Amino acid sequence: MDLEMPKLELRNIEKSFPGVKALGNVNFSVKKGTVHVLCGENGAGKSTLMKIINGIYQPDQGQILINGKEVKINNPIEARKYGISMIFQELNYIPEITVEQSMFLGNEPTNKFGKIDWKKIRSETVRLLEQEKLHYHPTTQLKDLTISDIQMLEILKAVSYGSDIIIMDEPTSAITRNEVEILFGKIAELKAKGVCIIYISHKMEEIFRIADEITILRDGVMIDTKPTNELNIDKVIALMVGREMSNIYPKEEVAIGETVLEVKGLTNNSVFSDVSFDVKKGEIIGFAGLMGAGRSEVARAIFGLDEFNQGQILIKGKEVKVNKVIDSINHGMVMLSEDRKRYGIIGVRGVRENVALSKLERFIYKGRLHIKDENTTVSGICKRMNVKTPSLETSIDSLSGGNQQKVMLARWMLCEPDILILDEPTRGIDVGAKYEIYKLITELVKEGRSIIMISSELPELIGMCDRIYVMAGGKITGELENREFTQENIMKLATKG
Amino acid sequence: MNSKGVNQWWAKATSKYSIYIVLIAMFIVCSVISPVFLSTKNITNISRQISITTIIAFGETLLIICGLIDLSAGSVLALSGVLSVAAYKMTGSMQIAMVVGVSVGVFCNAINGILVTKFKTPPFIATLAMQTAARGAALLYTDGQNIYQIGEYKALGQNSIGIIPIPVIFMIGTTLMTWYMLNHTKFGRHLYAVGGSEEAARASGVNNNKTKMTAYLINGLFVGVAGVLFMSRVNAGLPNGGIGAEFEAMTSAIIGGTSFSGGIGTAMGTLAGAFIMGFVNNIMNLLGVQSYMQQIVKGIIIALAVVYDIRSKTKRDKKKQGNINEKLVDSSNKAKEPGAL
Amino acid sequence: MNSKGVNQWWAKATSKYSIYIVLIAMFIVCSVISPVFLSTKNITNISRQISITTIIAFGETLLIICGLIDLSAGSVLALSGVLSVAAYKMTGSMQIAMVVGVSVGVFCNAINGILVTKFKTPPFIATLAMQTAARGAALLYTDGQNIYQIGEYKALGQNSIGIIPIPVIFMIGTTLMTWYMLNHTKFGRHLYAVGGSEEAARASGVNNNKTKMTAYLINGLFVGVAGVLFMSRVNAGLPNGGIGAEFEAMTSAIIGGTSFSGGIGTAMGTLAGAFIMGFVNNIMNLLGVQSYMQQIVKGIIIALAVVYDIRSKTKRDKKKQGNINEKLVDSSNKAKEPGAL
Amino acid sequence: AEPKAGGTAETTTAAEETKPAEEAKPAEEAQKTYKIAYIARAQSDSFAAWLANAVKDEVAKNYKDVTVDVFDGESKNEVIASHIENAVTKQYDAILLQPYDSEAQVAPAMEAMDAGVQVVTVNNRINDNDRAGAIDADPVAQAAKNAELAFEQIPQNGKVVVLMGPAGNMHSDKRRIGWQQSFFDKRPDVKILDEQIANWNKDEAMRFMEDWIQTYGEIDAIISMNDNMAVGALEAAKAAGMTDILSYGVDGTAEACLAIQAGEMTSTTLQSAYALAEEAVKLTYKLMTGAGERETILVDCPLITKENAQEYIDLHKKAGNLK
Ligand SMILES: Nc1ncnc2c1ncn2[C@@H]1O[C@H](COP(=O)(O)OP(=O)(O)OP(=O)(O)O)[C@@H](O)[C@H]1O
Ligand SMILES: Nc1ncnc2c1ncn2[C@@H]1O[C@H](COP(=O)(O)OP(=O)(O)OP(=O)(O)O)[C@@H](O)[C@H]1O
Ligand SMILES: [Mg+2]
Ligand SMILES: [Mg+2]
């Protein structure tokens, strides 16, 4: 240990929310020019701790020291004055504003009469975008971008403030490999400049690539802080979940049955075209591709969320018309969206209602929705999915990101579907839970269901799938059988066309 | 339960039911400061006075929960009431009059619903257009004249069953209906879902348009019934009746905790809101507060009631710092809560 | 530009500026069906008639963009107008009268703002309470009677500079001020951000409370000015003036494309909305449409205008999806857009 | 007007030195105080507010054993009905009612009478009028007086515009009938250019007049069902330089009297709140004390023109409506 004073230090931080003690007595410090990684299960309190540093929450107790001086950070504006900026886990973007407006929101350059300097904003935005080789139009509205585009902008924005403490809360959960590389390049650059970075991620490979130090939180309590070289993936996982974990991908051999879903020549003008594939009973099908390859768009079209111009969807050999989501659900097909916030949770409502929403018929008999039954069933499913929540009536908004994802999965489990389309199912999920989800997927196919898994994490696709389709530019560029699975093969197809 | 448990229970109760506490506090204060307040007669009066607005308020509650609004309630009330009166004068049948009144209410709201769901008109504008048009139609039909001599039509609005006035019975009926819909039907759940997040609801298999349309149709039913009761109570067909009724109705709903951001609201809350407004109006009249002063006081009381409600909710959030071990789901013992009144 | 380019440009223009197209279409139709419509005098009249509502509409626009609302505008207009008249009668100074009027408007809206930001009262309730209270205060102060004999106070509302009536000059002033604020100040950008997503705005370092408070204060300024102009125009102090003015104002804003879901709205849109309403009212009077019929027609026209607007916007969105690839192209040739009207 | 000093409750009791009422009162009842609930149509309506003030003043001045509380009907039948119910609950001796709708108030009023509370209506009547006392001015006559003057003043083939009160308003409709009978039926040469509802409001009338001036150019007369609208339309006419336009209203408000004296407005008929208040309280008192029978009294409504305007301006000054 050197004697250098930490750039940022937290002492005895405690924080409670209604029904939950999110943090209890956390001590934590970060040195100049280092990357400090925070690990912990979903709901361990990582985001909460970071939000305290950024002034979104006030700690119930404890001190924050910057350069050895105690400070009180009341809001993000003050945080920025102390040189702190943050990339948030939950992308809370403003759909109507444009790329350039978003880049400078809250930090608009003005002339001496208070007039916003649009020219400067434009040139700065273009410069920043070009510097990172990102091709967004500065006047595109955020609502017209995909979630990964927006995440990339958030990263760019946080970095552009010239802060000396940058907090990144799961920045890579929504972006693909190329962009991850851009980000890591940026991190190296910042580190060299003496910026310190607090980095939260559930992706172990990433963590070990960039971390200088790792801190592990469990249930709001700090377990340990160690330099990276004293740890390895298994040790971290053991510290996080409190036990050893062996095989990460619990794949089992399952008998493959007849074709359950067949998609023929699906086309939606210039978003994707001529997409054909099939899924058999008991199969796990992967969809790989770079950002904007069109995978999510295809899934949305099949699920009835978007329209398409041409093509057929056959379920169990019969052509079906899916005009609305409910049609798909009735045909036994469900989809977990990649954008949980927008297409998943009903924020102000409780966990129970969120889970039951798509299959209320189960609790309706004699013309009445029986809440007792609903409660029993939902709590059963939540237990099985290991959802952590103070009660089933707690509004889903206040759950941690990973738990929200589990609630979404619980919603679809309740529908007992034959076909599950999972768009980025493990986004923002901790290793323990990830394993649980993989196990769940395995169980599901064992029960004779079929899975379509869209993921930007190649290892997960390779580890779990029976077949992988690769998309690029809105077209399927190839289909790989299990024995052909390698990162190289996939990337070759993904960059084709 | 130990003393800490009692304390916690109390803190929770006061915050969760803060609007009912406001209501009870107001009730007690009123009883103390005015001797006549607590008479059966006066309470019956208050109930009757708020009944028609409250029936509309349930329609607004459903709509606001779903992220919609109805600015046309007052006008549609007048149109359906006037046509119902006319039907009664023609046929002499109260059944037919009722059917006509309700049909008109439902019809106007079907147009509202179509404008909102099919043509994607903002609900504010769609129902504002209906407000103007329905009022015009009511006036045009009656040529601006009130319809008098409507005979036994008035029975519905003026008679009582036992000591309970018929409009109050309708109010109780719509309360129960709304409560049941919100808590024990798919439609109710879908209302909350659509109001909470349209896109998420759609992606969860909710038919948003159908939900919105149904909300408007039920609102139409309530407004139609309110129209018949209104005309019956004033014993005339008044094309000018019900001006601003939608605002009083919305006020009751909002005071009762319904939120314009959607996804939040209860039937009992709205009823409590309506009674709070009824008490305020009643007590000031009983005390003979000067009428301009009444308006000022009323404004202050509305603000205070809501501020108290909001404050105690926030305080709960601060107080309710539970134990981390409680965090894991605890299943069946709370089964009754959401259904509780 | 090739023909495809022209087509695209046209499609984009018609959808982006659809509300202005409605306005122009209405203008042309009115000119054709009534010979007097297109006279300088008549256009001046319309401008003067809409001016006061439009000034309030800009306040509402700012608030609605930010996810807020002001239901008290009409009452506060009356209160500030009446007190301003009283101040004029006492001092004989138009400057003092103006300062009093504006101060009262700002004061009432400061209360609105504090209720909303400090006490977290829903804006609907806070301003509804103010609506009731301010009206009560205006009536209490005047004892329900109009104030007459206000001498040269009327100059502001009735005189013209050149052919442009003074209220219209104020309207133009507030238009420019609103436009400038929305497009070229931090406050304006923050309004959009807070209205678009409070959480995201806060996380980006926007001071939400300050933004909301400022919105109310500026609204107060506009309402205060409108109050002075109103009383001056009618040449009396009317404590019951301006009833429902907030609704006309909001209608203009919403027709002009401001959205109750927040984060959307422009100054020019509101102005266009106000003129559309002005044209509708004017042409029906010019044609001598029977008054009940006027209401029905007005309702239908409002609905049609908005349906057209929405339809053409949706069409664009559909088209745009087809051109997703365009997204990746050129950057710099649109440098002026955010500042454009 | 000056702000009214005073507390929140609007209860007025007679001061000691005031004159006794004209009626002789039985000695044993001098001890008892009588309570009147005065229910105003709408306190935000300036005439209604004036009448309410006049009633309070009348009671304070002349009836030391009477108190009166004022309730605001808010232009809503439901509200008025609930005030009547409350008055019964609170055991008032009499209800003095300014009806908003002649039919809607019948049922609650009859209920009140069944419960033993006397009801007197003022300024408008309710339809079931053989049980409640009534003080009113004849709205047809009010209009007719103006109409007779207009019959002489409006030129051959004259063009007029008509401003109406709220749709279905009894006073507006009856006054319109007065104009029809005494003017339009007798002068078929006169053309009504347009007829619109301006809801008694000055600003709405202004707006209509501005549009009419555009459309028709020449207008000989403004025929308005009340003074507020007449003065509003005049405001627009003045702005357009039409100084010799004729204009007729009803009510005799302070503003109208001033406009008539200044030669801007032509005529109006006084609907005297003082006269109405005086008669109404007198009748109510008689009924409460059992000293008289219910009756229907029509108060006089004099025509106000330039010649006698000063007289009424003085009246308003005395009442504090003008300074
Ligand atoms: N605003 C809030 N209101 C109530 N409870 C909250 C709120 N925010 C977080 N919590 C609770 O605090 C705990 C910690 O949450 P936090 O979001 O910090 O977890 P996390 O470690 O970031 O998890 P994840 O990996 O899933 O993002 C959770 O139990 C969560 O339910
Ligand atoms: N709402 C939208 N408006 C406009 N363009 C969109 C919208 N949603 C997606 N796109 C575009 O459609 C294309 C396909 O996006 P999609 O989300 O399907 O890609 P993907 O393969 O799922 O990649 P990822 O989800 O990893 O970003 C991209 O070019 C994207 O920018
Ligand atoms: Mg987190
Ligand atoms: Mg995707």
Side-chain angles (χ1 to χ4, degrees), chain A residues 19 21 349 361 389 411, chain B residues 186 199 204 263 320 324 327:
Chain A
K21 190 163 186 183
R349 306 306 300 177
E361 296 82 5
T389 169
R411 172 188 291 170
Chain B
K186 201 163 148 179
E199 284 178 322
S204 308
K320 212 175 125 190
I324 192 123
K327 210 165 76 162

Side-chain angles (χ1 to χ4, degrees), chain A residues 46-47 89 169-170 401:
Chain A
K46 306 179 294 294
S47 301
Q89 176 184 13
D169 196 350
E170 303 194 31

Side-chain angles (χ1 to χ4, degrees), chain A residues 361-381:
Chain A
E361 296 82 5
R362 263 183 82 159
F363 314 112
I364 297 176
Y365 44 89
K366 295 195 198 122
R368 179 187 161 109
L369 201 157
H370 291 256
I371 292 172
K372 235 183 196 160
D373 290 2
E374 185 189 4
N375 213 57
T376 318
T377 312
V378 170
S379 84
I381 287 199

Side-chain angles (χ1 to χ4, degrees), chain A residues 17 20 22 41-48 57 89 170 202 398-402, chain B residues 327:
Chain A
F17 291 112
V20 189
E41 286 182 282
N42 295 129
K46 306 179 294 294
S47 301
T48 307
Y57 296 146
Q89 176 184 13
E170 303 194 31
H202 292 293
S398 61
L399 296 193
S400 76
Chain B
K327 210 165 76 162

